[in-house]
Amino acid sequence: MAFTYSKKEKLKSKKLIDQLFSEGQSVSVYPLRLVFLNTTHNDETSVKTGISVSKRNFKTAVDRNRIKRLLREVYRLNKDSYFNNLTTQYAFMILYIGKEKPTLAQIEMKMNNLFEKFSKKVSSPN
């Protein structure tokens, strides 16, 4: 996997997003929350990912966009290590639920913990 976050990997389908929030499961590592759904896509990507920051917690678009840029960058750089052994297709939505502005290092640490928790939840038979 390359260090890219291409258009094919972005979660854009309104139907899939609605289905994700109605039927999906979630894991949280404060200040991040991951909502995921096992699904099938028409293209070859194994994961479609969306990123969201609440307008309630960050009133100005500048702050929301900065946090989204940081989240996308950490995801882009580390997705290879997160998904190297995934065999099924997933839809993800990464939500920033904190109230303070994070740094890149904080987000990287929390996102690593988040995806470790995700892989444990997926691998454990429930």
Side-chain angles (χ1 to χ4, degrees), residues 8-11 41 43 45-50 90-92:
K8 291 179 183 177
E9 299 173 50
K10 294 181 180 169
L11 180 62
H41 317 122
D43 50 9
T45 59
S46 61
V47 174
K48 287 206 178 270
T49 306
Y90 283 96
F92 287 151

Side-chain angles (χ1 to χ4, degrees), residues 1 19 25 38-39 47-48 54 57 60 64 66 79 113 116 120 124:
M1 242 185 234
Q19 184 182 7
Q25 299 175 302
N38 191 344
T39 185
V47 174
K48 287 206 178 270
S54 172
N57 296 338
T60 60
R64 289 193 304 275
R66 170 142 179 86
K79 71 178 178 180
N113 295 344
E116 282 176 26
K120 286 178 186 173
S124 67

